[in-house]
Amino acid sequence: MPNIFKRILRRDSPPTPLHSPQATQFEGSGIRSSSDIPDPITERRRSSKHWGPRAANYANRAARRSTDSRRQTSTSATSSAENTGKTRPAGLKDPLLILRRSVFASWINVLLVLVPVGIASHPAHFPDVAVFIINFFAIIPLAKLLGYATEQLALHLGDAVGGLLNATFGNAVELLVGILALVKGEIEIVQTSLVGSILSNLLLVGGCCFFFGGIKNNEQVFNSHAAQSYGSLLAMAILATLLPAAYNSLNAKDAELKSGTLTMSHVTAIFLLIIYIAYLFFQLKTHTNLFSAVPLEERREAARKPSDNEPTAEEESSGGANNADRTRAASNEELMTQSPQDITIGVTPAHSQTAATSTAELVKNNADIVEEAKEPVSEEAVLETKTEQAEKDNSADDEEDEEEVELTILASMALLAIVTGLTGVCAEFLVDSIDGLTDKWNLSPSFVGMVLLPIVGNAAEHVTAVTVAIRNKMDLAMGVAVGSSIQIALFVLPLLCILGWIIDKPMTIYFSPFTTVVLFVTVLLVNYIIGDGRTNWLEGLVLIIAYIIVGVAYFLYPKDMDTTSSSLGSSG
């Protein structure tokens, strides 16, 4: 530390004992105690007035270091206070705390008041339409609670087990509705609800993510490697549905076609489950880097609209001032490099000595000005500023993505069991009322299974995906929308097919040619859109309109026609 700076910082004060904390802390710095630290503003004025610009520069640096140190101390104290006051996970001994955190986890949970009404509607012999509508809206918050309990359990058990839990309970509503309908022999409801869930996730949920996210952001980017993996898995699922449909177009006996379709569906279901297990291992274990999110800076660059790149009036004025300062500093530096003899060329002898003396003083004073003009734009300062800004962006993004453990393992499992039971009861009453609803409103079972039931199961996922898409987190939104479709196609559908095999129900992967064509074109359209790893609002609008067209087609679908394999041979 220069001696001139030590003179600035010294004051007349009583000496501090040699072994005191203050003496140890400030030993070797020329400051005897913490009370000797000068006020930054006062010392800045004093140094500028009495010691010249160079001493003022040193004083400014000391003031900045003192301010930064105080800020770091305050920040560390605040962070430690936050850590000590972190949310304590609620256990089974705190049922009221579990209830409060679960209920207030989302605004959708206001619909929980319909759960007891929906459960009581069936024993009270409500009309089928009323039973369907009440349980329809009661299942939506239950699906959200299932997702909340699964996420809390996954935070304790790690990514691998968490991925398996998300695969199992992510589409629990579709699975429960499918099992109950399958036991009752409602094969058409089972198959159309599963196909409708795939279409709803890909077209409606994905389209809303792209549309609303694209309105706020210019373009949104996501991991193209993950998108290609999603596309290949969806293509495999379409292949599994195309083969039974093509097989049933053969000119053969009905009994032979029915037997062959059942055998083909059972074998295909086993291999689809194997592919899904391999996909989980690939995503969570061996190739996790292929599914990592796009860096924050790249997402912000793509989301920046063209109007955001144009400088404002304030930026233009500040840029002009900065250019003027740089020009002035350059002229001063050029003047400083010249000798007094060079500057006094052409001056008369009578005034040459005076001019040389004045020029020398001017060059000497400008030396400090040029040094101060150069100092703020040094490479180290620029690098340090960029590093600090990047750390702030990363820390802000991490804080935004960080999930807090609110429930213990036992509390999460208890909540999961209770919500699953309530969802099963509401789903059973919902399935029982479908026949009365279709007769009363003259709707086809295909429309109920293809449009209405998927809206129930995907409501929570829909809200979550659109929310994160608006916040420019398209990798997470893609995982919710497209990943859920992959779960249905490669996990839930083959699992129900094998379950039907066990309980002797003719559940197959064969769909009517109409449904197969809709699935094929949907997957083809989605693969075209997500293939380049970039989306905008127009592509989202295309997917939404495609879903509306599909919904209208199934609304007009003839009521007495079967879209599934329950009439193999006659509907092929």
Side-chain angles (χ1 to χ4, degrees), residues 108-122:
I108 298 179
N109 293 337
V110 296
L111 296 176
L112 286 173
V113 296
L114 296 177
V115 173
V117 180
I119 294 175
S121 62
H122 190 270

Side-chain angles (χ1 to χ4, degrees), residues 423-434:
T423 305
V425 174
C426 292
E428 182 178 3
F429 296 158
L430 184 75
V431 172
D432 289 339
S433 62
I434 288 178

Side-chain angles (χ1 to χ4, degrees), residues 239-260:
L239 175 64
T241 61
L242 280 174
L243 290 180
Y247 178 79
N248 274 270
S249 64
L250 299 176
N251 187 12
K253 296 181 179 180
D254 293 346
E256 188 177 353
L257 288 176
K258 184 174 182 179
S259 175

Side-chain angles (χ1 to χ4, degrees), residues 79 244-245 283 313 320 452 527:
S79 62
Q283 180 183 14
L452 296 182
N527 278 338

Side-chain angles (χ1 to χ4, degrees), residues 108 111 122 129 132 169 178 188 247 265 290 310 362 414 428 480 499 522 557 561 566-567 569:
I108 298 179
L111 296 176
H122 190 270
V129 175
F132 182 88
F169 293 98
E188 185 175 3
Y247 178 79
S265 298
L290 296 182
E310 299 178 359
L362 178 61
E428 182 178 3
V480 173
L499 180 61
T522 297
Y557 202 86
M561 288 190 64
S566 58
S567 56

Side-chain angles (χ1 to χ4, degrees), residues 46 65 69 96 135 153 192 285 386 409 431 489:
R46 180 185 301 171
R65 280 196 293 267
S69 177
L96 294 179
N135 286 280
L153 197 58
T192 54
K285 195 68 176 175
K386 290 183 177 180
I409 296 180
V431 172

Side-chain angles (χ1 to χ4, degrees), residues 143-162:
K144 184 65 176 178
L145 283 180
L146 279 174
Y148 171 77
T150 304
E151 291 171 1
Q152 291 298 313
L153 197 58
L155 291 176
H156 290 284
L157 302 179
D159 292 337
V161 181

